[in-house]
Amino acid sequence: MRTATTLGLGVALACTSGQFVATTVRAESQDSSSLATADLDSVMSLLDEWGLRRFFEDCFAEQAVDGEALVYSQPEFFQDACPQVPMLQWDRLWRRLAPLQQVSKTSHPKGVDTSLDSEAPSGGRRLADSGRFDGYSGVSIAQNSSAVFFAADRAIYRHDDGLAVWTPNFKVEGDVHWEGSSPLDANITALEWRIRQLEAQLNTTESDINQLQDVTLSRQCELLFQGRVCMSATTALHDESFFYSSYHGHVHGAFLVYDSGYVDCNVNGVGTHWGCEGDTSAMGVWLVDAESDSYVYPAEGTYTVHSANTWYEPDDSLGWWANAGYLYFPGELDVEAGQGFHIQYGEAFTDYTTSDNSGLTCADVYWKVGNCDVQAVG
């Protein structure tokens, strides 16, 4: 009989009658379960023997991979931790390790006794209620770092802090009764604490909102300047048409106070502040929300349509005519600080017959806020 060279951790191939059979042998310096107790240096030496060290050395050293990790950890954990290693080299490693892992996991553990009366190991501790097992028979493992294995990927093992189960899936049939604290208690406590946190934040937010509403309702009616803007009769979203609200809260309307310029819808017509041509012409100025591109003033229901989304009729009761010094647009609106708006000429904004248009009108924008008579015109 000829015996092949061992891999250094207790596995060899024996040849009898021309057939090779796997057999377990004892190396001079290590027993058959030594892979599980090998340190990092021993793992590196083993990789050297197999010609794999250069592929795994850096990552294994960084992760402090020892024999215990190679025996009990799942392959995907290593591959996720060392993505730079080619899959071909992983395959070579797992094929080399497979017999060693099996030997290490199935080796007879030290300290096994068939009675439950053995004392705790030196330096260990016994359960305060260990007398409850009097009269029982079974398997007693008299030391920590011991385990009972089921195939290659399942185990019940003892460590310094207690008993643990290693298994891909854990299924309980029947009822579970806990003595002591449940493992869910910590999660429930954390969730209760988080809920209290969120409730406190909600109360603070509600208080802030109430204070803001109180301030808004208690302040005197006033006009808040928001910016100077210009609308082009030919170009939508003119660079100077934008302004951003400096106010956060509820407004009762908007004022446009004429500053300079003119617009018209006919190059042969007479330019006006806000209209098409001439003082009695249709009105074409709109205040638009920048995010939704929707008209906010004049507000829905406060004007009479002359041409959809383009023109609306003058209104003497509101002071709307083409050359008015200012325009007041009543209407309730909630705005946020920093919210964007722009002023637009209807035909330019809808890109409708702008070829004969001309001009640019500039105006100051004000919000009407505070404790106002919301029905008032000015």
Side-chain angles (χ1 to χ4, degrees):
M1 179 184 75
R2 293 180 297 170
T3 302
T5 303
T6 71
L7 299 179
L9 289 170
V11 175
L13 294 177
C15 179
T16 59
S17 303
Q19 294 183 338
F20 282 95
V21 180
T23 182
T24 302
V25 300
R26 185 179 299 279
E28 292 182 3
S29 60
Q30 294 171 304
D31 62 25
S32 60
S33 62
S34 58
L35 177 57
T37 59
D39 59 16
L40 177 61
D41 290 337
S42 298
V43 170
M44 292 301 177
S45 298
L46 186 60
L47 293 175
D48 255 342
E49 291 182 31
W50 294 343
L52 296 173
R53 181 165 182 160
R54 65 192 180 94
F55 299 108
F56 296 95
E57 181 175 14
D58 290 344
C59 185
F60 276 23
E62 180 181 349
Q63 301 294 330
V65 175
D66 56 12
E68 189 270 343
L70 290 174
V71 171
Y72 299 116
S73 296
Q74 298 297 310
E76 56 266 26
F77 295 168
F78 292 98
Q79 292 169 200
D80 289 344
C82 308
Q84 72 276 17
V85 178
M87 291 304 298
L88 175 62
Q89 306 308 325
W90 283 117
D91 182 64
R92 293 176 61 195
L93 178 64
W94 300 136
R95 284 189 287 107
R96 291 277 196 170
L97 283 174
L100 304 184
Q101 291 172 322
Q102 190 64 28
V103 169
S104 293
K105 288 182 177 181
T106 57
S107 295
H108 198 64
K110 298 178 181 179
V112 175
D113 186 4
T114 56
S115 74
L116 294 179
D117 296 327
S118 58
E119 293 295 325
S122 176
R125 62 185 181 187
R126 291 181 61 84
L127 293 173
D129 195 20
S130 58
R132 71 189 302 171
F133 301 118
D134 290 345
Y136 283 76
S137 62
V139 177
S140 174
I141 302 177
Q143 65 176 32
N144 289 333
S145 301
S146 299
V148 177
F149 299 99
F150 304 88
D153 60 349
R154 294 164 177 82
I156 301 174
Y157 61 98
R158 172 74 165 87
H159 52 76
D160 289 339
D161 296 324
L163 193 66
V165 177
W166 175 264
T167 177
N169 296 290
F170 188 76
K171 180 180 179 182
V172 176
E173 295 183 0
D175 297 331
V176 176
H177 302 278
W178 297 102
E179 292 187 8
S181 61
S182 163
L184 299 178
D185 289 347
N187 290 338
I188 293 173
T189 300
L191 288 173
E192 289 177 342
W193 178 80
R194 181 58 177 155
I195 290 172
R196 286 196 295 270
Q197 262 194 331
L198 293 174
E199 288 175 341
Q201 292 177 7
L202 179 60
N203 291 336
T204 301
T205 301
E206 289 177 343
S207 175
D208 291 343
I209 291 173
N210 291 334
Q211 289 180 8
L212 182 61
Q213 290 175 339
D214 291 342
V215 170
T216 302
L217 293 175
S218 64
R219 69 188 303 166
Q220 293 182 347
C221 184
E222 60 183 315
L223 300 181
L224 297 182
F225 176 70
Q226 300 301 304
R228 176 164 295 173
V229 292
C230 301
M231 68 174 180
S232 168
T234 59
T235 306
L237 302 180
H238 185 271
D239 289 344
E240 299 176 26
S241 69
F242 281 89
F243 72 93
Y244 296 92
S245 175
S246 62
Y247 176 72
H248 184 102
H250 192 76
V251 302
H252 303 298
F255 276 83
L256 296 181
V257 180
Y258 175 77
D259 176 70
S260 61
Y262 73 93
V263 287
D264 69 54
C265 65
N266 186 338
V267 293
N268 296 317
V270 178
T272 68
H273 297 170
W274 321 106
C276 179
E277 58 175 336
D279 195 43
T280 60
S281 63
M283 306 288 290
V285 57
W286 303 84
L287 201 61
V288 182
D289 177 75
E291 182 175 356
S292 63
D293 273 347
S294 58
Y295 296 149
V296 292
Y297 288 118
E300 188 73 28
T302 63
Y303 62 92
T304 301
V305 176
H306 179 87
S307 178
N309 298 324
T310 308
W311 304 104
Y312 50 95
E313 298 292 348
D315 188 331
D316 288 341
S317 67
L318 291 173
W320 294 354
W321 60 87
N323 277 318
Y326 71 89
L327 296 178
Y328 168 58
F329 296 121
E332 305 304 298
L333 180 67
D334 290 317
V335 298
E336 297 180 358
Q339 184 175 350
F341 298 89
H342 46 92
I343 185 175
Q344 292 294 331
Y345 195 61
E347 284 193 347
F349 189 59
T350 57
D351 195 23
Y352 176 72
T353 64
T354 59
S355 59
D356 60 347
N357 294 2
S358 66
L360 186 77
T361 287
C362 297
D364 293 336
V365 182
Y366 295 84
W367 292 141
K368 183 178 180 181
V369 303
N371 189 14
C372 302
D373 176 3
V374 298
Q375 300 300 324
V377 173

